[in-house]
Each structure stands twice: as structure tokens, then as C-alpha cells.
Amino acid sequence: MNNPAQNITIKIAGEAGFGIKIAGATLGKVLSRMGYQMFDYTEYPSLIRGGHNTFEVTVGERVHHHTRPVHLLIALNQASVDLHQSELSFDAGVIYDSEKTKPGTGPWKLYPVPLSRITKDVGGSELMKNTVALGAALAVLGAPVEGLLAILREAFAKKKQTIIDQNVKAASSGYQFVRDTFPELFPHQVTRLGERRQMYVTGNEAVGLGAIAAGCRAYFAYPMTPSSSLLEFMAKKGPKVGMVVRQPEDEISVLNTAIGAGFMGIRSMVGTSGGGYSLMVEATGLAGITETPVVIYMGQRPGPATGLPTWSGQADLRFLMHAAQDEFPRLIVAPGDQEECFYLTAEAFNFAEKYQMPVFVLMDKNLAEGGKTVAPFDQSKIKIERGEWVSAEDIKKEGKYLRFKVTESGISPRVLPGTAGGIHETNSDEHDEYGYNIEDIPNRNAQMEKRMRKLERARAEIPPPNLYGPKDASLSLVSWGSTKGTILQALEELSNVSVNFIHFNYLWPFPTQDAVKMLQSAKQLMVVENNFTGQFDGLIRQYVGIVPQHHLRKYDGRPFWPHEIVDKVHEVIK
Amino acid sequence: MIPNPQLTNPLRAEDFNSEHFPTWCPGCGDFGIWASLKNALVKLNLPPHRVVLVFGIGCSGNFSSFVKGNVFHSLHGRALPAAIGAKLANHELDVIVIGGDGDGFAEGLNHFIQTVRSNINITYVVHDNHVYSLTVGQASPTSMKGFKGKAHPEGAFEYQLNPISLAITSGGTFVARGFAGDIPHLSDLIVQGVKHRGFSFIDVMQPCPTFNPELSYDWYRQRIYKLETTGYMPDNHFKAWEISQQPFDEKIPLGVFYREERDILEDHFPQLSRAPLVKHDLSKIDITSLLEEFM
């Protein structure tokens, strides 16, 4: 890269159904192995085929989030040129099919490559056009083609040799064509940075890995964007890691099944999005009153109803906080990036089991489907804490077992069903300490207060929010979940401005003592979130008693771009 | 089914009595089902701590506080999904699900059909009194056409659901009907159901003297007959369906309509072949090779 501080963004665009995402992921893996950091972003309409798909990846030495403008556009059809011209930098390059596509008019460096003809020449199908284009892109970027060839060989290892040969030839031909035809150096070069041991994962893959590392034994889900790729990942890995993965008839069944499994003593998890979660609301209360641990992955997308199925948002926080009738303890954790997806999912199981309550992993489409390079996950940092249990011997000593024993902590030790002496009733009705239906006042109050005490204990265990940037600043940005990367990226451009960033992973119970201290000591607050009403902003008003001075909100289904944050900060601090 | 070697004294039906005597109305068919379940567990030699009893919501759901076992009292209509989760987590324990007709055939109908399809190795006993009784008298899917419920003063309009035919059509592998007024027969059906490898469904004709007095014990006794006394063999899908279609207000066959051995849901998961999930050792998880895939 000619200017190491400058990250570059590469965009691949084309018709849905033509492997845009796979091409993007392949390019990402090539660059990851060259030692670059990356963050990718995919846009696709809610169609099976025929729509317009894009994949873009920002590459550099230090990347928190994808950025615009686009420096290299790989346009696999005419629409790609027409739609994305306005996103290009003045010195951008455009790779397009010289025989099928008309380039736009602009200051860009044009790379007409006969993509279809080369594909035909190597005997490949039209689908292989991507591979030719990837070879061409690496040549434009000044990167070696060998990395791509190695990944193609790995990806098609189980296919026939002719398929491998065709792909390798397609990539090499695209690469060679550019090298032979365009000798002039493209201003954005991607040379090898050197060895860096890193992973390139999506948020959903990181969540899945976290669940597996935490000993999740059962995953239930009904397909719904953006959680479907997690279901696919779990289904693929389940038999190898000893986890049962099942797609029941609907989301109602999904959560009730997971609760049945949790009652029986295993770690279980479900995944869905807002519409599917709407069907799980009833069972969330069941987990609450029966004090059954369960981890609920909730991938937000804009709604209501079907809404914008393949886009992103952060408007379901209040929904999760209040879902199901009456009050019961629950915990909401929102990872901010792919690394946090791994560690916090594992932590979610610990909270669920220690406090015997539903724990939400609150995600969104951008984080779920976005890929990022991360330091390899460290499994040794994951501790499996299964909470309090009693054995047959304990019960024998005690002389009896009370599943819902009123304790000071609110936590009543569990028993594995099947244990001698451990019979009880796990009851969706209000119940006594054994579990029998009972409706009298002292018992109701004792059980209600016992359950709610667990929330206070959990609150005391929640780690503080993360502070990024200087301790003292005239403006503190506040956000939660996936806006973390955007804001960190923006801070890189705001090094001359007195601004810092408080990022929340744990959203409920709210607030913790640390959170109150941090928010109260800030001079001015600006809350950044992907919703209309300022759901987290409202929590700060309601529970901390501070009215944040500024906010930045967006609800169009698209992520915040770092430059939007930068502009707003400059507007506030003149 | 796991025999219980530690058991020195023979089990008695009273061993399953909880500290609460049932609050059902005098003459309620639920008493007969309660007695039959306890008898069946004694015959199966399953002590309370070796059986998982999952309940729905309704008069049948209140059963949950009147019996000893590993009891899970779930939500209205959701007993089957909860039971599937419990069974998958520990398939060494026997799981019996107890629900009602509103619970299983209205709120939970989708779960019923899908669970029949799955053929998971659990037993489902439905208290079918053809009325909603805990909510004091509305029509249920199995109410007879014209039944005057509190929400149907002009009489129920919809076609009466036939759970036996539905289970046969959905791929049921053990489909039976019992009568709450014949405890020995119903006890035996439950024993057969638990022993069956697969999903066993027992629809129990349950008189409700309070909210459906027309369908009294006598009303049933005038119509019921036992399939096994007619030389009927429950091995033919089509014959089973045909006999299940007899007009309800004329003839009510009892016994096993259909029985078949087929793969169960648990067979589908190699994860379950060595040990139940609940016995997996979580301290030995190593994800190193999984992480390598992303490098």
C-alpha cells in the first residue's frame, strides 16, 4: 500500500445468484493471509435471484469498520457501474467486462477485461466470471496471484480435478490479462504486509464458535435473516462437536424445546430475528418463572412485521427488555464486534446458568453477516461456570430437595432430573419452594422477590462499559452493539478533537455502578444508535437521570458510516 | 426405559401421590386417568425420579401438582416442544406428556402434527373431554357440532376434529384411544405406549360432568367397544384410518388403531449414540481445529 495510513475499499457487485458473496469471502481470505486487517459488508435484497448484490471490504493495517469511498469497483454487470459510480473515489479503478458493459464517465482508471470471453476460453461456466475478475483485481492491486490460487485449490479440494484446473486457470488468466494490458501502476497497491496469525470470521460464525466453546449441547432455530447463517453453521458443526441441532416447526416450538432441554440440565440456545422472537415472547416468560437457563440469539433487522428483511437496525432493545407479561429477571448482552461475539456468547451461557434465567445475545444484520479479521480466539479465556447444583448425596444429607428454595442470593440450586430424591415440579404457575401450584400472598411475594434478587446479583457481576480514547474529553460518544467499529474508525480521524467513546456490551440490567460513574463524569454525551426513538438514550434518562445533550440516529437499514460520525462530532464541537 | 436396580420395595400407586389431593370436580374423568398413569408407572417399574412428566395447561395441566416425578408444567399448547427438548437432552429417561384437547388440538395443534411426524420416543396422553373446562365451558376442536359452549350460544359450527385420524395421517406409529372410565384398559394402553419405540399417542375419552354433562360415563359406555375383542389387527394404515372414521355419536372404538416400528428422531442424531447430552463432559472441549478453518 503506497500510503499505509490509508485504508482502501474494494467493492464487488453483480446480479444475485452469481456468487458475489463467495467471491468477496475468497478475496477477503487472500488479503487476510497477506496480513491485512479487514472488515466486510454485504448488501442484498430479499430475493432469491435477480436482484443486485454487493460485497465490499475495507483493507488496511488497522481496520475497525468498512469505509467509503470505494477505491476499486469490480463490476460484474452494467447495473454495478450505473449504481455505484457515486461511491467511487476520484482516483478509483473500475474493472468491468469490456465486451458487455459500458463504463461510466468519470476520472476513474478503467480496466476493461473480457471477463466472459476468458471464462469461455478456459472452459468454465458464466459463474466463473467472478474468479477471472478476482485474478484481475489482484493484478490491479499489485498483489501476487498465488494466494488466490491456493485458496481456490482448498475450496474445490473435494471437486473434480477439471473444476480445480478451470478455476486456477480462470484466476491466472484474469491476472495475466491485466498485467499484460495495463502496465501503469494503480495508485492503491496491496503488497504483502507479512505474517500475521489472524482469523477472518463473520459475527455469526464467531457466535457459533463461542457457543461451541461454551459447551452448548443443543441449538434450535427456525430460519430467518440474519440468524439463518448461524443455524447453517451449527447444523454443519453439530455432529462433530456433539451438539444437537434441530429446526422445529416454528419459533414457538424453538424456544419451548430449548427450555425443555435446559430444564433437563444441558446448555441450550436458540437463534432468531425480531419477527421470530415475537413468537418466542410467551416462552421467554416460561424461562423466567421456571428459572430455566437459555441463551437467545436475537439478530436485529428493521421492521415492524417483515420490514427490511436483509438490512440492519438496533430497534429491538426495548422489545427484549419488556417482552412477556409481568416482571422477571433477564440479561441482555450486545457484542460490538466479531471478537466480542465469541467471548460474550460464551459468557452468556455462564450468566444463564448461574442466574437461571434467559440471556439474550443481541446482534444485528451488520454484525451477524459482516466478516472481520480478528486475533485467533483464545479458548483458554473461556471459563465454563455452571452455577449451583445439588447431588443425590446432598439431598440425602439435607433430607429433602426444594427446587425453588428461597435463598439470600435468590439462586436456588438445581438438580439434574433423574437424580434420586430430586423430584420436584418445575412450574409455569406461581409455585412454592417444591414447585406446587400455590397462590397465597406470602409465597407469591417470597418467590417474586427471590427471582428479582438474582438480577441484582447479576448486575453486580457485570463488567464496566469500555472506554476508548482519552479519559477526559469534552464530548463522549455513547453506543452499544455493532456501532462500535464505526465509531472506533471515526475516532481514528478525530485524533485532534477532544472526544472519547463509552461502549456498552451489557444493556440489561442497567445501569451498573460503573456505568453511572462514567456517564455522570462525562462533560457532554452523544448517543449513537440505529433506531428512531433513541432506545438506549432513553435508558440513560430513565435510570441514570441524565439527559444526553446530543444524539445521532439512523433507521434506514444501513449502517452508520465513519464519516457520518466524524461530521456530526465536528458539528457539535465547533 | 431404564430398570431401577436400587428399588428394594415394590412400587405402589400411592408412591406417586403428591402432597396435594386433586382439585378436580367430583366425578371428573381426570381421576381415572390419574389412577391409570400411576398404575402404568407401577407396572413399568418406573419410580418417580426416573420418569419425566410434562404437562400442558388446563384441568389436565393441574395434574402436575397431584403426582410425583420430574415434573415440568409448561405453557398452554406447548407441552410437546418442551418434552422434545427434555428427551433430546436425556434420552435415557422416559418422558410422558399429559395435556388436554384445547391444549393439544387448538393452541398446540401444529406441535402435535409435527411431533407425530418426528416419531420421537415419548408418550402423549390427552385428556379429551371435548370442552374447555378450566375456563368454564367453551367449545374445543373436538366438541361435537352443535355443542353449546359459553362462547358458542348458537352451538359450535366447525367440523369436529378427529385426533386419531389426524395422527394416523401424519405418520403416527402408535395411535390409540382409551376411556377414563376403564382404568385397567387405559393403564395397559399407557404401558404399551411407553414401551413402544417411537411417539405413542393415546387419546382418552374423558367425561366432564360439569361442563359437558351430555357426554357422561353412560353416554360413552353405550358407544365404546374394544378393537382387540373384534379380531382387529392394528397393522394396516388404511384400515386404521377407516375404523377411526366411525361416527363419533354412534360408535367409539377403544384400543390400538395403528402400530408400526420406524426410526425415531433420536436415531437421526449420531451425537446421541454414545451418551445422552446431559452426560457429556464439557471440560474436554477443544475448538483448535475449528478455528483453523478461519485462517
Side-chain angles (χ1 to χ4, degrees):
Chain A
M1 209 171 275
N2 52 342
N3 172 6
Q6 173 78 50
N7 295 336
I8 71 164
T9 297
I10 303 160
K11 183 163 190 158
I12 307 175
E15 193 188 339
F18 278 83
I20 305 299
K21 207 169 174 180
I22 290 171
T26 306
L27 178 66
K29 205 157 187 176
V30 173
L31 298 170
S32 172
R33 286 188 185 174
M34 288 170 69
Y36 285 98
Q37 289 196 354
M38 276 178 311
F39 193 106
D40 72 41
Y41 171 64
T42 311
E43 286 187 354
Y44 57 100
S46 185
L47 295 169
I48 298 158
R49 272 190 63 167
H52 185 68
N53 281 12
T54 69
F55 170 92
E56 52 194 290
V57 60
T58 298
V59 188
E61 282 193 43
R62 198 166 65 245
V63 176
H64 302 289
H65 199 261
H66 55 101
T67 50
R68 295 260 174 94
V70 172
H71 302 94
L72 179 63
L73 175 66
I74 303 166
L76 293 175
N77 61 4
Q78 187 64 49
S80 303
V81 175
D82 302 341
L83 288 169
H84 305 304
Q85 287 186 47
S86 60
E87 297 162 5
L88 300 179
S89 70
F90 70 93
D91 60 350
V94 181
I95 297 172
Y96 62 99
D97 194 325
S98 50
E99 292 171 4
K100 295 194 167 171
T101 306
K102 285 191 203 97
T105 48
W108 312 299
K109 176 99 184 96
L110 299 180
Y111 295 95
V113 180
L115 300 174
S116 291
R117 182 153 53 80
I118 293 176
T119 309
K120 237 177 255 162
D121 289 348
V122 302
S125 71
E126 187 71 4
L127 275 171
M128 221 178 271
K129 216 160 66 167
N130 293 344
T131 315
V132 180
L134 287 183
L138 290 174
V140 171
L141 295 165
V145 76
E146 283 71 23
L148 173 61
L149 303 186
I151 285 165
L152 289 172
R153 287 194 187 100
E154 288 167 27
F156 294 106
K158 284 180 187 158
K159 296 270 162 82
K160 274 188 275 174
Q161 188 61 38
T162 49
I163 303 270
I164 301 174
D165 292 345
Q166 279 172 359
N167 273 281
V168 165
K169 212 167 161 199
S172 313
S173 305
Y175 181 81
Q176 205 53 49
F177 182 87
V178 170
R179 296 278 294 205
D180 294 344
T181 320
F182 309 102
E184 196 190 325
L185 198 68
F186 181 58
H188 302 282
Q189 293 286 291
V190 177
T191 49
R192 194 178 178 78
L193 269 189
E195 286 301 319
R196 173 142 55 177
R197 234 179 107 71
Q198 59 181 5
M199 296 170 61
Y200 178 46
V201 285
T202 66
N204 276 353
E205 289 162 344
V207 166
L209 290 167
I212 291 167
C216 177
R217 294 292 91 180
Y219 182 79
F220 304 103
Y222 188 87
M224 185 169 189
T225 305
S227 66
S228 307
S229 60
L230 178 57
L231 171 58
E232 288 159 24
F233 179 78
M234 297 298 232
K236 212 164 142 191
K237 303 299 176 199
K240 285 178 214 156
V241 303
M243 167 176 60
V244 162
V245 180
R246 176 167 157 83
Q247 178 192 317
E249 58 274 17
D250 56 29
E251 287 89 347
I252 298 172
S253 185
V254 165
L255 187 51
N256 282 285
T257 307
I259 290 168
F263 154 72
M264 212 61 166
I266 63 164
R267 294 192 143 191
S268 68
M269 178 175 180
V270 303
T272 188
S273 183
Y277 181 68
S278 297
L279 297 186
M280 295 185 184
V281 167
E282 176 194 42
T284 305
L286 177 67
I289 195 166
T290 60
E291 305 195 45
T292 307
V294 65
V295 173
I296 303 171
Y297 164 109
M298 233 296 287
Q300 296 166 105
R301 66 190 216 190
T306 313
L308 295 169
T310 58
W311 301 84
S312 199
Q314 289 187 304
D316 295 338
L317 169 60
R318 290 283 185 152
F319 178 31
L320 298 195
M321 272 178 59
H322 302 294
Q325 67 271 31
D326 207 343
E327 298 162 315
F328 54 90
R330 70 191 85 190
L331 189 136
I332 304 172
V333 58
D337 58 25
Q338 285 71 358
E339 261 179 295
E340 290 177 354
C341 285
F342 177 74
Y343 295 106
L344 293 178
T345 299
E347 200 52 37
F349 283 94
N350 290 340
F351 273 106
E353 285 210 301
K354 279 195 287 186
Y355 298 103
Q356 304 177 26
M357 61 185 179
V359 173
F360 295 94
V361 177
L362 182 55
M363 301 273 292
D364 59 41
K365 183 262 172 190
N366 287 339
L367 182 55
E369 297 189 347
K372 188 177 187 285
T373 47
V374 294
F377 297 147
D378 183 357
Q379 198 189 344
S380 72
K381 284 188 190 161
I382 289 177
K383 302 274 175 287
I384 295 181
E385 299 171 312
R386 303 215 54 194
E388 297 177 37
W389 292 81
V390 293
S391 64
E393 289 74 50
D394 299 332
I395 295 167
K396 218 172 176 183
K397 244 183 267 165
E398 189 75 17
K400 63 177 172 186
Y401 173 66
L402 294 173
R403 169 68 187 91
F404 301 101
K405 192 176 176 179
V406 176
T407 59
E408 207 183 311
S409 64
I411 297 165
S412 320
R414 285 190 289 161
V415 70
L416 219 49
T419 304
I423 57 159
H424 64 274
E425 179 175 0
T426 295
N427 198 341
S428 69
D429 277 273
E430 189 58 278
H431 40 260
D432 65 12
E433 289 182 303
Y434 175 89
Y436 291 132
N437 284 24
I438 182 166
E439 299 183 352
D440 72 48
I441 296 170
N443 181 77
R444 161 66 177 180
N445 287 343
Q447 286 295 323
M448 185 75 183
E449 288 155 17
K450 173 195 107 66
R451 288 193 291 269
M452 296 312 280
R453 276 201 295 280
K454 296 189 296 181
L455 192 64
E456 289 321 301
R457 210 171 161 100
R459 188 196 305 267
E461 204 198 316
I462 288 175
N466 290 308
L467 179 74
Y468 300 93
K471 203 158 178 257
D472 291 308
S474 49
L475 179 68
S476 294
L477 301 177
V478 177
S479 94
W480 56 278
S482 76
T483 47
K484 175 185 172 183
T486 319
I487 296 175
L488 288 180
Q489 194 68 50
L491 289 186
E492 300 261 331
E493 286 179 53
L494 291 165
S495 49
N496 298 327
V497 182
S498 177
V499 57
N500 65 13
F501 171 36
I502 306 169
H503 182 254
F504 283 83
N505 285 132
Y506 289 88
L507 304 176
W508 190 258
F510 180 84
T512 60
Q513 280 188 356
D514 302 300
V516 171
K517 259 186 244 163
M518 284 169 83
L519 291 166
Q520 282 178 343
S521 62
K523 292 195 179 76
Q524 287 187 89
L525 296 175
M526 182 166 105
V527 186
V528 182
E529 51 190 325
N530 277 118
N531 57 55
F532 187 91
T533 55
Q535 298 191 5
F536 191 69
D537 192 316
L539 282 189
I540 296 172
R541 292 171 191 233
Q542 188 177 351
Y543 291 102
V544 188
I546 297 176
V547 179
Q549 291 83 351
H550 311 283
H551 61 79
L552 182 58
R553 296 173 196 161
K554 193 170 176 176
Y555 37 84
D556 60 6
R558 278 65 177 173
F560 282 108
W561 295 98
H563 64 83
E564 293 172 324
I565 312 280
V566 172
D567 292 349
K568 180 74 180 180
V569 168
H570 283 309
E571 187 190 309
V572 168
I573 306 180
K574 290 202 179 89
Chain B
M1 195 180 78
I2 302 275
N4 186 44
Q6 298 153 330
L7 204 72
T8 44
N9 299 319
L11 269 177
R12 298 164 310 153
E14 298 83 68
D15 294 336
F16 294 92
N17 288 347
S18 79
E19 291 152 38
H20 296 273
F21 189 76
T23 50
W24 297 313
C25 306
C28 175
D30 285 349
F31 284 100
I33 305 174
W34 183 54
S36 302
L37 178 76
K38 292 189 288 180
N39 285 346
L41 292 171
V42 168
K43 270 190 208 160
L44 290 160
N45 199 23
L46 280 174
H49 78 277
R50 298 301 302 174
V51 65
V52 179
L53 301 168
V54 182
F55 294 84
I57 297 292
C59 292
S60 59
N62 288 359
F63 194 155
S64 66
S65 281
F66 312 143
V67 65
K68 279 185 176 170
N70 297 288
V71 172
F72 189 84
H73 189 187
S74 73
L75 295 165
H76 188 55
R78 317 300 175 211
L80 286 172
I84 290 176
K87 185 71 181 184
L88 290 176
N90 188 354
H91 60 277
E92 283 183 350
L93 294 185
D94 287 288
V95 177
I96 301 173
V97 184
I98 289 148
D101 46 317
D103 182 64
F105 307 141
E107 195 88 23
L109 184 67
N110 190 12
H111 308 313
F112 173 59
I113 296 170
Q114 308 292 347
T115 309
V116 171
R117 287 179 59 221
S118 81
N119 201 32
I120 188 166
N121 189 14
I122 63 181
T123 301
Y124 186 32
V125 179
V126 176
H127 296 220
D128 191 350
N129 59 1
H130 315 276
V131 65
Y132 285 74
S133 296
L134 194 63
T135 52
V136 297
Q138 297 81 10
S140 98
T142 57
S143 293
M144 287 165 72
K145 199 167 153 72
F147 172 78
K148 288 195 171 152
K150 286 189 178 159
H152 302 77
E154 306 301 322
F157 168 74
E158 286 96 336
Y159 187 80
Q160 184 184 6
L161 188 89
N162 185 329
I164 298 287
S165 302
L166 183 62
I168 293 166
T169 309
S170 306
T173 59
F174 182 101
V175 182
R177 184 187 280 141
F179 175 45
D182 188 343
I183 293 172
H185 183 256
L186 178 56
S187 305
D188 181 58
L189 278 182
I190 297 173
V191 169
Q192 288 188 57
V194 173
K195 286 183 172 170
H196 172 71
R197 191 174 187 275
F199 184 67
S200 45
F201 168 54
I202 305 163
D203 191 28
V204 184
M205 299 299 101
Q206 176 221 332
C208 173
T210 309
F211 296 107
N212 200 358
E214 194 198 324
L215 273 60
S216 64
Y217 288 89
D218 279 348
W219 186 94
Y220 279 110
R221 286 196 175 107
Q222 287 159 18
R223 289 165 177 80
I224 55 177
Y225 69 97
K226 288 174 184 159
L227 285 170
E228 54 269 33
T229 61
T230 65
Y232 175 80
M233 295 298 287
D235 56 1
N236 185 298
H237 208 254
F238 297 99
K239 276 190 191 152
W241 192 84
E242 197 179 349
I243 206 152
S244 75
Q245 285 286 303
Q246 284 183 283
F248 182 72
D249 56 353
E250 292 171 17
K251 285 277 171 204
I252 303 176
L254 301 183
V256 181
F257 285 72
Y258 186 66
R259 192 202 309 256
E260 178 195 338
E261 286 284 323
R262 206 175 65 218
D263 279 359
I264 60 174
L265 182 67
E266 298 90 310
D267 295 335
H268 173 68
F269 295 109
Q271 298 89 314
L272 303 180
S273 58
R274 256 190 265 154
L277 295 176
V278 76
K279 290 189 179 163
H280 285 198
D281 181 358
L282 301 190
S283 68
K284 293 205 175 98
I285 296 164
D286 183 1
I287 62 164
T288 314
S289 68
L290 277 178
L291 298 182
E292 290 289 340
E293 291 174 26
F294 296 92
M295 296 190 198

